[in-house]
Amino acid sequence: MRGHGGPVRALAVTADGQRALSGSFDASAILWSVEDGAALRVLRAHDGAVNAVALLPDGGLLTGGEDGRVALWRGAPEPERIIASHAGPVSGLAVAPDGRRIASSSWD
């Protein structure tokens, strides 16, 4: 799978193994088809590296960046919502099993 312009910092794979989401130092995240290695979507909303990614049970995507923001992605080319509550880089993301809550960790 080729597509990022820098090292990959984060990776998440769907439970069925069909899709993967990667985050990179190049400030992008890419949704991949695992079977053929094709980039399905390139997500850009962060000012700096994408340090964390997560997949929601309903197909939504989460990205967390060096800019301290968490972005929620659905079908649109732009994020549905951006949460800008961290004073430091986002370092991790987690999703509750029911998909109704998320948690983020940060250097702050």
Side-chain angles (χ1 to χ4, degrees):
M1 296 179 188
R2 294 183 187 266
H4 282 296
V8 171
R9 298 272 302 153
L11 185 65
V13 180
T14 57
D16 64 8
Q18 297 294 310
R19 304 279 185 265
L21 180 62
S22 59
S24 171
F25 272 114
D26 69 3
S28 74
I30 300 177
L31 181 65
W32 302 92
S33 166
V34 172
E35 184 176 335
D36 61 12
L40 303 174
R41 284 180 73 187
V42 178
L43 311 172
R44 296 185 187 278
H46 295 283
D47 297 325
V50 176
N51 296 329
V53 295
L55 302 163
L56 299 172
D58 67 1
L61 311 170
L62 293 171
T63 57
E66 186 177 340
D67 57 6
R69 301 182 312 164
V70 174
L72 168 63
W73 304 82
R74 299 243 185 239
E78 298 298 321
E80 179 179 294
R81 184 173 178 195
I82 293 182
I83 304 163
S85 59
H86 286 292
V90 174
S91 57
L93 293 169
V95 179
D98 65 5
R100 295 175 49 125
R101 287 176 291 260
I102 64 168
S104 59
S105 60
S106 172
W107 294 2
D108 62 3

